[in-house]
Amino acid sequence: MSNAVRRLAGFAFTSADLLLEIDLSGAITFVLGAAQAMVGKTEQALISGGWRFLIDADDRPLLEAMFAALDDGARRGPVQVRLAAGGAISLTARMLSENPGVICCAIAPAAKPALAPKAGQALHDRAVFEDLAKGLAEAARVTGQDFELAMIEFNGLEAVRKALTPPEAATLDQQVAGALRAEAQGGGAATHVEGERYALLRERGEAAEVMAKRLSRAIRTSDQAGAVTAAALAVPIENPGAARFSKALRFALDDFAREGIPDSPPASLAEAMNRSVRRTLTRAGELGMAVSQRRFTLAYQPVLALKDHSVSHHEALVRFEDGADAFAMVRMAEEFELIEELDRAIAEQAVRQLNADRTGRLKLAVNVSGASMISSPFIEGLTRLIERNPKSKGRLIFELTESSAIDDFDRANAHIQTLREMGSMVCLDDFGSGAASLGYLQRLSVDIIKIDGRYVRDLASEGRDAALVRHIVRLAKDLKVRTVAEMVETAEIEEVVRREGVDFAQGWLYGRPMAIPEWPDTREAAAPLPARRMGTRDDWR
């Protein structure tokens, strides 16, 4: 080995343990370094197998997008990717001008925990992304790195997806996720915001327009996706360790979900937050008027007892004027301390519906925020409401949501027992959706838990979700607590939840939310209804 080559190899190995050369077909044409130690393969096995067999299937779209966007002389990474055999590596790719068509990859141990989404997930969900962003911001405060929030809109993506078959659409979604992860910090800090809108965190430096062109090119590698073009906005994150960071990030993403990329981009995340706050305050004022003037209605969805298909009760779901998103409105009510008034107004309307029921068989479940459940004035108001309306006694169920965290479990549990003593059952809503679910069940004595629909709707596949539901039901039975499965949308899923021992079921199989409570004839199998896309909250509250 000549001195020049030896020096070059020494230079390379100061930052990497394994060097690969990959051609445009995906074949590994050259290997140098600690192959066995780094990836568990011999040099000969790597050359004969190609790079794809080496990488976990969930991370292949990331590298495909990264390689496809390389120009002569360009460098991408480092990104963390998982190996098919287990473990993770840090990979940096470069295409040398002197050797076009050959991708040089430097591989080193993954220095930090992988930022990749969980197995089977294309991208992080919004909550995990926000937590991840908080962690990166704290790290940046120590290391001095500068990060920015990039918001990306894939114009035409929804139209293209609708024109594809389900397998083709799934492939396109994987391609989009891979392209986004290739741009994100560590190959993982990206999320789906709404519709065609996505967000990611990355280090500052490159113009957002350059990234948008690269994303457009990555998606156009599919013939069917030729009409998709990306637009991007990057917002600097200043003072990343500040306490306002999490709120600023949430407001900025909420605003992006509603408004898209603005014509006049904000100069910083703080400015993006301020704009969002101004708009939100206006909407909060409108929400306050809607609540105080009772400008909302309730829709009713049946909940069935699986033992005999009889209607156990109906859940009352709030619907605002002008089709406003209920989930967003309730979240805003919590943010601006309007939730007690909203929960009280919904309970009052539910009681009026019970008073109007001449059959005596109607029972209604209404949602109550954690913030309301720890409020003594709210519980006192509920008890007076029930006492004044004896027809409602024993016919109200209160579903406790996790959307606002409980910070006083002793008081919350005392209030729950007060409601139970008045004949009302209490249910933990969306059990399993948040990290606090087990803690709630441990510290609160309730009658029912409602299993989060995200675990229910794919039960027929008998995967990890089925095992999770099985354990939740077993835990509930040990605690003498009944269970409700939501998002039961097919007879097949109903059969699975019945077999697992779930007590009640709710979902489109039995009917959509209606303006008037109905008792569907469920003795015969209901016609299957179109499954909802994950992430929608159209039945929320």
Side-chain angles (χ1 to χ4, degrees):
M1 182 182 294
S2 69
N3 285 337
V5 173
R6 186 179 295 110
R7 286 171 183 156
L8 181 60
F11 174 73
F13 284 118
T14 57
S15 59
D17 291 69
L18 178 63
L19 303 178
L20 304 179
E21 287 188 356
I22 301 172
D23 66 20
L24 295 183
S25 72
I28 297 175
T29 59
F30 177 77
V31 179
L32 180 64
Q36 189 72 49
M38 285 302 305
V39 298
K41 303 288 182 183
T42 65
E43 293 183 9
Q44 186 56 44
L46 288 174
I47 289 177
S48 61
W51 74 263
R52 287 180 176 83
F53 92 107
L54 184 66
I55 304 300
D56 184 273
D58 287 338
D59 286 352
R60 288 172 199 162
L62 159 63
L63 288 188
E64 286 167 352
M66 192 165 114
F67 293 164
L70 276 175
D71 293 315
D72 286 352
R75 181 173 62 187
R76 305 293 309 285
V79 295
Q80 295 181 43
V81 292
R82 292 162 292 195
L83 298 172
I89 56 173
S90 176
L91 185 146
T92 302
R94 185 163 194 164
M95 186 178 289
L96 299 176
S97 301
E98 298 80 6
N99 199 7
V102 175
I103 300 169
C104 301
C105 295
I107 295 174
K112 302 174 183 176
L115 300 179
K118 293 179 181 178
Q121 288 185 339
L123 295 171
H124 291 296
D125 63 33
R126 172 83 177 265
V128 173
F129 175 76
E130 290 181 9
D131 286 342
L132 187 63
K134 192 188 306 181
L136 286 174
E138 286 298 319
R141 184 166 58 90
V142 176
T143 63
Q145 289 174 287
D146 286 331
F147 284 106
E148 61 187 9
L149 172 69
M151 292 171 275
I152 299 101
E153 193 160 3
F154 287 105
N155 299 303
L157 181 62
E158 289 296 317
V160 170
R161 184 185 283 117
K162 289 177 182 177
L164 300 177
T165 64
E168 289 171 338
T171 299
L172 177 61
D173 288 340
Q174 289 175 344
Q175 188 182 36
V176 169
L180 289 165
R181 288 182 58 195
E183 302 294 337
Q185 177 69 14
T191 190
H192 180 215
V193 177
E194 180 74 28
E196 298 177 335
R197 294 165 186 165
Y198 297 79
L200 58 87
L201 284 167
R202 64 175 194 162
E203 286 195 66
R204 290 180 65 182
E206 183 184 62
E209 293 81 2
V210 175
M211 178 180 65
K213 289 179 181 177
R214 200 162 47 236
L215 286 169
S216 297
R217 189 171 65 184
I219 304 306
R220 279 203 298 267
T221 56
S222 167
D223 293 339
Q224 297 134 324
V228 178
T229 57
L233 165 67
V235 180
I237 298 172
E238 68 294 299
N239 300 321
R244 298 180 71 203
F245 172 78
S246 294
K247 182 175 286 189
L249 179 67
R250 188 170 71 251
F251 272 78
L253 291 177
D254 285 347
D255 214 41
F256 175 51
R258 287 188 298 264
E259 309 292 338
I261 294 177
D263 294 331
S264 174
S268 66
L269 185 61
E271 184 182 334
M273 174 186 170
N274 291 337
R275 290 185 185 183
S276 180
V277 167
R278 286 194 293 270
R279 279 191 283 261
T280 302
L281 285 172
T282 300
R283 285 190 291 268
E286 294 169 353
L287 172 61
M289 292 292 291
V291 172
S292 63
Q293 297 176 11
R294 305 300 192 260
R295 297 204 307 264
F296 62 85
T297 59
L298 298 181
Y300 305 91
Q301 188 174 34
V303 180
L304 274 69
L306 287 172
K307 63 179 180 181
D308 59 8
H309 260 201
S310 63
V311 175
S312 166
H313 59 277
H314 291 74
E315 182 176 6
L317 303 158
V318 67
R319 296 290 183 263
F320 291 94
E321 292 181 351
D322 303 320
D325 181 77
F327 177 71
M329 296 290 274
V330 169
R331 189 174 178 181
M332 187 188 307
E334 290 174 334
E335 191 80 41
F336 290 91
E337 299 182 356
L338 294 167
I339 193 63
E340 281 189 46
E341 187 177 355
L342 176 60
D343 284 347
R344 185 181 301 112
I346 291 172
E348 290 171 356
Q349 191 152 325
V351 167
R352 282 196 292 272
Q353 184 68 44
L354 290 172
N355 286 338
D357 173 53
R358 296 183 179 181
T359 68
R361 61 175 178 165
L362 179 65
K363 296 180 181 179
L364 294 178
V366 295
N367 285 271
V368 174
S369 166
S372 299
M373 189 59 78
I374 62 173
S375 167
S376 296
F378 175 79
I379 297 300
E380 291 165 3
L382 273 187
T383 57
R384 287 195 299 270
L385 177 67
I386 295 171
E387 288 169 350
R388 289 197 308 266
N389 297 274
K391 279 190 175 183
S392 66
K393 199 164 188 177
R395 298 168 66 192
L396 276 174
I397 300 170
F398 296 100
E399 295 194 5
L400 178 61
T401 70
E402 276 191 44
S403 55
S404 179
I406 291 176
D407 57 12
D408 189 335
F409 280 96
D410 291 339
R411 180 183 296 180
N413 194 51
H415 291 164
I416 287 171
Q417 304 322 307
T418 297
L419 296 175
R420 295 176 74 196
E421 288 165 5
M422 296 196 71
S424 292
M425 290 191 291
V426 178
C427 170
L428 288 184
D429 195 14
D430 291 333
F431 189 85
S433 64
S437 292
L438 283 175
Y440 278 35
L441 188 57
Q442 180 185 24
R443 303 180 69 175
L444 304 174
S445 297
V446 298
D447 304 281
I448 306 169
I449 58 176
K450 180 179 281 188
I451 303 169
D452 186 80
R454 288 176 294 181
Y455 302 119
V456 173
R457 70 183 299 270
D458 294 323
L459 276 180
S461 64
E462 286 293 335
R464 297 177 65 179
D465 289 344
L468 180 62
V469 169
R470 192 176 303 120
H471 286 297
I472 290 175
V473 173
R474 188 177 304 157
L475 174 64
K477 287 187 181 302
D478 288 344
L479 296 174
K480 295 180 171 51
V481 174
R482 285 176 281 184
T483 49
V484 178
E486 62 179 358
M487 282 195 188
V488 176
E489 298 177 346
T490 67
E492 186 179 15
I493 293 176
E494 182 198 66
E495 180 56 33
V496 174
V497 297
R498 180 188 286 109
R499 186 172 67 242
E500 297 298 347
V502 175
D503 299 295
F504 304 99
Q506 176 181 1
W508 287 6
L509 181 64
Y510 315 111
R512 302 178 186 234
M514 304 294 289
I516 298 173
E518 294 185 355
W519 278 261
D521 183 359
T522 57
R523 289 171 295 181
E524 298 180 1
L529 287 158
R532 285 172 289 189
R533 286 181 55 204
M534 290 305 297
T536 60
R537 301 302 299 266
D538 47 276
D539 286 357
W540 205 81
R541 284 187 81 93

